[in-house]
Amino acid sequence: MSKEQFSDHDLARFKQAQRLAYDAVTHVEKELYEGITEKEAAAKIERWLRDHGVTNFFHYGFAWFGERAAFRGFMRLADNAIFTNLIPHFGKQFQPSNRKLRKGDSVILDVAPAIGDIAVDMGYACSLGESEALHDARMALEPHRELILSMVKAGKTQRDIYAAVDRLIAEQGYEAAHSFYPNAVLGHKVGRYPMPMLQLPRVLGFGPQALVYLGNHVAHKALHPKANAMPIWNMHSNVPCEPGLWAVEPHIGKGDVGAKWEELLVVTEDTAYWLDDDLAHHRYWKEHRSAHPAHTATGELQAARGAAPRLGRSLG
């Protein structure tokens, strides 16, 4: 189950599910208050989605406040170790905590609902009250979207794209917080949610079916070593993006401020494109773009713009 193809009808369902997930976190954003805990915010996300018909999750709600949104003090997992320290890595530091929200804190809300056999994954940054530092970080993330898409369409390897994103982050004066995720992923595959009729207990914040989905890709790679089948995108992924849906999540931090976006990238045999161009962070960028011209033309982005997309051939 390496390369995955989706019909226009399938993609419309993924788009609808992604928008529902964004509706959930932007609704919870308006309900944040001083003293609410990460656990309570995450529960609000899940409750809103269940009230709107969601019964399963690729992963359940995550909420990170302040320094935790920048992954300050988090443990970095050993490079490319899929299951090494899995339980402490997920069980202790990524799970929503009792950390209380303070005015001015940066906030990251992240959830991956499954609607029937359609699974999506998204992440969103906001703050309680005004935060100039978080505002700057949110705006700094805008050019990463164009950089990533340009390089995917040009057939660059995931490793090269990962390195370019990290260089852009450093050029902007931030640190790459996504390096703390398991396998230091910049993204991962999502797709058909297996066994959607089963209601199973969560495992370390994930639906068991999500682990089956990712595990099947890992098994495919083990059985077919030459296949481009790994479901994770990190600095070791020396292959172009194969056809399917990729949840891409650049995450940056500076001091006690952390910000990210996460949305779905569609990759086909011929081209690539973002599934939706009208999500909450896109509207934020559009509203504030004129005040941040410095974030629109960097060395990495200019280089990507100069690479002509090579369409009409396999990216996989």
Side-chain angles (χ1 to χ4, degrees):
M1 58 173 299
S2 177
K3 297 179 180 179
E4 295 174 292
Q5 308 288 346
F6 299 103
S7 68
D8 289 344
H9 176 70
D10 292 334
L11 292 175
R13 293 179 62 208
F14 279 107
K15 186 173 183 178
Q16 181 180 26
Q18 182 174 241
R19 286 195 171 191
L20 185 69
Y22 268 95
D23 287 345
V25 297
T26 53
H27 174 84
V28 171
E29 175 187 12
K30 297 173 184 175
E31 293 195 340
L32 295 175
Y33 56 88
E34 284 192 83
I36 190 175
T37 67
E38 292 178 345
K39 288 181 179 179
E40 290 167 337
K44 280 180 175 288
I45 299 171
E46 294 173 24
R47 190 178 310 116
W48 191 96
L49 286 166
R50 290 189 185 281
D51 288 345
H52 288 77
V54 173
T55 58
N56 264 318
F57 290 84
F58 190 89
H59 73 67
Y60 291 80
F62 291 104
W64 303 306
F65 298 162
E67 74 289 343
R68 282 178 49 80
F71 291 167
R72 290 285 165 248
F74 279 33
M75 175 186 70
R76 184 178 279 110
L77 191 63
D79 284 350
N80 213 30
I82 293 177
F83 297 111
T84 302
N85 294 325
L86 184 64
I87 291 178
H89 199 67
F90 276 100
K92 292 182 180 178
Q93 60 188 18
F94 288 108
Q95 298 304 310
S97 73
N98 288 319
R99 204 285 196 183
K100 293 183 179 181
L101 185 60
R102 298 187 291 263
K103 191 172 182 179
D105 275 344
S106 55
V107 173
I108 291 178
L109 304 175
D110 194 314
V111 70
I115 302 175
D117 64 343
I118 294 294
V120 299
D121 197 353
M122 60 74 61
Y124 177 69
C126 59
S127 61
L128 180 64
E130 296 294 327
S131 170
E132 183 177 353
L134 178 65
H135 170 69
D136 289 344
R138 293 175 75 175
M139 296 305 297
L141 282 168
E142 181 181 13
H144 291 273
R145 193 172 187 261
E146 181 182 347
L147 172 66
I148 291 166
L149 180 60
S150 296
M151 295 188 72
V152 170
K153 292 175 72 173
K156 302 299 183 182
T157 67
Q158 291 181 323
R159 180 173 69 183
D160 287 345
I161 300 169
Y162 192 105
V165 168
D166 277 7
R167 286 194 298 270
L168 176 53
I169 290 171
E171 181 181 333
Q172 294 172 318
Y174 292 90
E175 298 176 359
H178 49 253
S179 65
F180 286 89
Y181 288 123
N183 294 285
V185 296
L186 177 64
H188 60 86
K189 270 195 161 182
V190 292
R192 298 288 189 190
Y193 193 74
M195 302 172 287
M197 72 294 298
L198 298 180
Q199 304 295 309
L200 301 173
R202 71 182 70 192
V203 177
L204 301 175
F206 281 75
Q209 293 98 320
L211 303 180
V212 170
Y213 171 82
L214 296 172
N216 281 342
H217 280 284
V218 173
H220 189 281
K221 179 69 173 180
L223 294 173
H224 306 279
K226 294 183 179 180
N228 176 11
M230 289 301 286
I232 59 174
W233 175 345
N234 65 13
M235 75 286 286
H236 302 291
S237 307
N238 193 26
V239 290
C241 286
E242 65 179 4
L245 279 171
W246 292 88
V248 186
E249 49 183 329
H251 187 161
I252 63 177
K254 181 192 292 185
D256 289 343
V257 173
K260 70 176 286 188
W261 54 260
E262 182 176 10
E263 58 175 297
L264 299 186
L265 177 69
V266 183
V267 179
T268 72
E269 293 284 1
D270 302 312
T271 190
Y273 56 93
W274 296 106
L275 180 62
D276 197 341
D277 288 319
D278 187 24
L279 297 172
H281 53 293
H282 306 157
R283 295 190 290 273
Y284 188 90
W285 293 334
K286 184 177 181 180
E287 178 184 355
H288 298 283
R289 188 176 295 140
S290 62
H292 283 75
H295 289 314
T296 63
T298 64
E300 287 294 340
L301 188 52
Q302 292 290 6
R305 287 172 177 168
R310 298 185 297 165
L311 307 182
R313 57 83 178 117
S314 173
L315 292 170

